[in-house]
């Protein structure tokens, strides 16, 4: 018998995995020998093959073992229906073998006895990651040993109830999966809607401006000071002193608090030369193509900090509201104009001061700029509220799934049927069958079946 993690119905019992399954590890042949691996050979899995994997069954990983690789490793061919449980890096991935497979040493796999439902066991293990991790040991990374896997406790219902539990869990989680899939589209929709609002804002539709109300000067005509490239400093100058803005500190949808910025040691003259002022516009001039041209407006809290060399700073004149220009440069049209003449290198692109100065900006009068900003901020606030609600809903769905599993393995998800054979009889039958089975002879493993 096993430890009782909680109370279960009378027709259930607690068993250890060692009582109801053969527990098998895995192995890896020498990785330096390419002949040990092939595209079509002995199916072989590593925990990496289950990263992000949400399906119940799996038949093979990214690469197979050759017959040679299989012979030269501790991998063992596991039968269809084996529950594959990652025992390190990380502990807790789980799937069921849909065909004969083997694994590396990152698994403890359960070959179940007595017709115990692999699907039931998989659901239990997926809901018991923290429990399994608590049994693991190690310093560099946690690993669940074979002996500790044997001791893991399993709440064992009658066989018919196992099948009813699996059917109910699958029905409920299918609904939550559909809801989760819909919610995962929300971030992309948020960005799409924001870009639609920006497009309407800068062509006049958002505030019903006519084309005659909008002029299109080049950005250079609106600059009072700059463009000025930022400051390059060697690593040994970082640590204490003046806050410095780095490209990691802001993006299209976020700006880090200045208290989280790095600090550097510079002279008073350099600090004054590169000090940012409230209302300055910062533009990223060197970055990966996906982030090139991102921009931000300096606030009072950031004033006095300096900025790194992969950015440039401009200060606008009285004709333009900085936030209006910054939002235009963040729109699809504005960023496209800003970066259309970018210079490309491997995994990196750049724009120069001339590219920035030549960028045209749709510009209504100052009062209309402020009106447009108000409308944009109102619309964005509404979209952000919807996005926050979607995030909350996703969290609730995750909690709901966990609550379903908790009820399932306490015997509270489906009713018990008095006609079901008790789990105690099932366990006695498994013990008898295992006791009567011939002892496996030691020796060379047979070759894997094709």
């Amino acid at each position: 018998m096993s430890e009782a993690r909680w109370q279960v119905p009378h027709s259930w019992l607690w068993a250890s995995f060692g009582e109801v399954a053969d527990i098998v590890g895995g192995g890896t042949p020498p990785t330096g020998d390419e002949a040990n691996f092939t595209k079509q050979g002995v199916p072989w899995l590593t925990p990496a093959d289950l990263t992000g994997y949400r399906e119940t069954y799996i038949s093979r990983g990214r690469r197979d073992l050759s017959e040679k690789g299989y012979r030269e490793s501790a991998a063992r061919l596991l039968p269809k229906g084996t529950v594959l449980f990652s025992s390190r890096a990380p502990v807790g991935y789980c799937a069921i073998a849909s065909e004969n497979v083997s694994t590396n040493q990152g698994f403890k796999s359960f070959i179940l006895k007595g017709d115990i439902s692999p699907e039931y066991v998989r659901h239990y293990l997926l809901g018991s990651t923290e429990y399994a991790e608590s049994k693991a040991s190690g310093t560099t990374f946690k690993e669940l040993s074979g002996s500790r896997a044997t001791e893991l406790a399993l709440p064992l219902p009658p066989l018919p109830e196992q099948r009813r539990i699996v059917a109910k869990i699958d029905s409920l989680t299918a609904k939550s999966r559909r809801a989760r899939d819909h919610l995962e589209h929300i971030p992309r929709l948020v960005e799409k809607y924001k870009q639609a609002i920006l497009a309407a804002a800068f062509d006049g539709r958002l505030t019903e401006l006519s084309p005659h109300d909008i002029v299109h000067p080049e950005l250079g005509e609106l600059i009072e000071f700059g463009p000025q490239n930022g400051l390059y400093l060697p690593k040994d100058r970082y640590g204490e002193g003046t806050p410095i803005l780095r490209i990691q500190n802001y993006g299209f949808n976020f700006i880090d608090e200045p208290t989280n910025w790095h600090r550097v040691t510079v002279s008073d003259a350099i600090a004054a030369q590169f000090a940012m002022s409230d209302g300055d516009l910062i533009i990223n001039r060197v970055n990966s193509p996906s982030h090139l041209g991102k921009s931000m407006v300096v606030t009072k809290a950031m004033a006095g900090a300096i900025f790194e060399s992969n950015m440039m700073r401009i200060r606008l004149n009285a004709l333009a509201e900085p936030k209006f220009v910054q939002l235009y440069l963040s729109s699809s049209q504005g960023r496209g104009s800003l970066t259309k003449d970018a210079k490309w290198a491997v995994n990196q692109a750049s724009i120069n001061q001339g590219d920035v100065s030549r960028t045209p900006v749709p510009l209504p009068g100052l009062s209309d700029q402020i009106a447009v900003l108000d409308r944009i901020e109102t619309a964005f606030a509404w979209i952000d509220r919807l996005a926050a609600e979607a995030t909350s809903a996703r969290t609730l769905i995750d909690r709901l799934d966990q609550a379903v599993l908790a009820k399932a393995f306490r015997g509270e998800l489906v009713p018990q049927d008095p006609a079901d054979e008790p789990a105690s009889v099932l366990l006695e039958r498994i013990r008898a069958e295992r006791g009567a089975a011939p002892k496996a002879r030691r020796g060379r493993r047979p070759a894997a079946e094709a």
Side-chain angles (χ1 to χ4, degrees):
M1 298 295 289
S2 170
E3 62 174 315
R5 297 180 63 198
W6 52 74
Q7 188 173 353
V8 294
H10 295 300
S11 58
W12 294 35
L13 54 75
W14 283 97
S16 69
F17 271 90
E19 292 178 287
V20 300
D22 291 336
I23 300 172
V24 182
T28 301
T31 56
D33 187 350
E34 294 183 1
N36 288 328
F37 303 95
T38 184
K39 290 184 178 180
Q40 291 291 326
V42 180
W44 184 69
L45 291 161
T46 73
D49 293 312
L50 294 186
T51 301
Y53 194 81
R54 294 169 59 181
E55 301 302 318
T56 301
Y57 305 99
I58 193 166
S59 61
R60 63 187 347 111
R62 293 177 177 84
R63 58 179 178 171
D64 290 356
L65 296 181
S66 65
E67 282 289 347
K68 174 178 178 294
Y70 178 72
R71 290 194 306 270
E72 295 186 4
S73 75
R76 172 178 163 185
L77 203 61
L78 305 167
K80 176 181 178 180
T82 299
V83 179
L84 313 169
F85 187 68
S86 68
S87 55
R88 66 178 187 179
V91 175
Y93 290 162
C94 194
I96 300 170
S98 60
E99 303 293 343
N100 293 349
V101 301
S102 63
T103 73
N104 77 348
Q105 60 274 23
F107 285 88
K108 296 296 180 289
S109 297
F110 302 105
I111 304 175
L112 299 169
K113 305 299 180 180
D115 294 325
I116 290 174
S117 166
E119 294 80 9
Y120 173 84
V121 172
R122 173 180 175 270
H123 281 308
Y124 173 70
L125 289 172
L126 286 175
S128 303
T129 300
E130 290 186 7
Y131 169 61
E133 286 178 339
S134 73
K135 301 294 185 180
S137 59
T139 52
T140 304
F141 55 79
K142 294 287 188 180
E143 179 170 8
L144 182 69
S145 67
S147 60
R148 299 311 295 268
T150 299
E151 297 169 0
L152 291 176
L154 173 70
L156 190 64
L159 289 176
E161 190 171 348
Q162 292 178 32
R163 293 188 283 270
R164 293 196 298 272
I165 289 171
V166 169
K168 189 66 173 179
I169 291 175
D170 288 347
S171 173
L172 293 174
T173 56
K175 294 175 182 177
S176 65
R177 188 181 302 114
R178 286 194 295 272
R180 190 180 289 107
D181 289 342
H182 288 306
L183 290 171
E184 285 176 352
H185 291 297
I186 295 296
R188 290 190 294 273
L189 291 174
V190 164
E191 182 58 29
K192 182 178 179 180
Y193 291 155
K194 285 187 173 182
Q195 285 297 327
I197 288 166
L198 292 177
F202 298 116
D203 67 14
R205 286 177 291 138
L206 191 63
T207 51
E208 299 181 350
L209 293 173
S210 75
H212 302 293
D213 297 323
I214 302 173
V215 295
H216 294 81
E218 290 185 344
L219 186 52
E221 299 175 56
L222 306 175
I223 294 176
E224 179 181 283
F225 170 78
Q228 178 194 22
N229 291 353
L231 178 65
Y232 171 78
L233 290 169
K235 290 182 179 180
D236 61 8
R237 303 286 290 278
Y238 284 75
E240 301 293 335
T242 303
I244 188 166
L245 176 68
R246 309 172 76 205
I247 56 172
Q248 298 94 326
N249 295 131
Y250 72 99
F252 293 109
N253 297 303
F254 77 93
I255 302 176
D256 287 339
E257 292 294 328
T259 52
N260 296 325
W261 297 1
H262 283 60
R263 290 177 174 268
V264 291
T265 302
V266 293
S267 67
D268 290 344
I270 292 295
Q273 181 182 352
F274 291 95
M276 299 185 295
S277 298
D278 182 24
D280 283 355
L281 184 58
I282 303 295
I283 299 172
N284 178 209
R285 67 181 189 89
V286 181
N287 208 331
S288 61
S290 61
H291 290 77
L292 181 68
K294 64 180 181 177
S295 58
M296 58 168 274
V297 176
V298 176
T299 65
K300 289 181 181 179
M302 305 170 189
I306 60 178
F307 57 104
E308 286 189 334
S309 60
N310 44 22
M311 291 167 265
M312 67 178 76
R313 175 255 298 274
I314 60 176
R315 187 168 299 148
L316 300 174
N317 59 34
L319 296 175
E321 177 65 34
K323 188 63 179 176
F324 182 91
V325 175
Q326 187 270 323
L327 284 174
Y328 173 69
L329 295 179
S330 297
S331 70
S332 297
Q333 180 184 355
R335 189 159 168 260
S337 297
L338 180 66
T339 61
K340 67 181 180 65
D341 294 323
K343 285 71 179 174
W344 297 81
V346 178
N347 298 324
Q348 196 170 65
S350 64
I351 54 177
N352 58 35
Q353 296 178 0
D355 297 328
V356 171
S357 296
R358 288 190 297 271
T359 301
V361 178
L363 197 71
L366 199 57
S367 60
D368 286 326
Q369 292 176 44
I370 293 171
V372 169
L373 284 175
D374 287 342
R375 295 292 293 273
I376 291 174
E377 290 173 0
T378 299
F380 277 18
W382 177 76
I383 292 173
D384 288 341
R385 282 197 300 272
L386 293 180
E389 290 173 4
T391 300
S392 297
R394 172 64 188 265
T395 301
L396 290 174
I397 289 173
D398 292 341
R399 291 176 182 172
L400 177 62
D401 284 347
Q402 290 300 315
V404 166
L405 294 178
K407 290 179 72 68
F409 301 115
R410 283 176 167 79
E412 300 171 356
L413 189 63
V414 299
Q416 282 75 52
D417 186 342
D420 289 345
E421 178 186 80
S424 58
V425 177
L426 168 63
L427 185 58
E428 286 299 324
R429 187 164 60 249
I430 293 172
R431 288 170 176 164
E433 291 173 355
R434 298 182 82 176
K439 296 286 186 181
R441 292 189 304 171
R442 293 186 178 182
R444 186 174 180 179
R445 288 179 308 151
E449 296 180 4

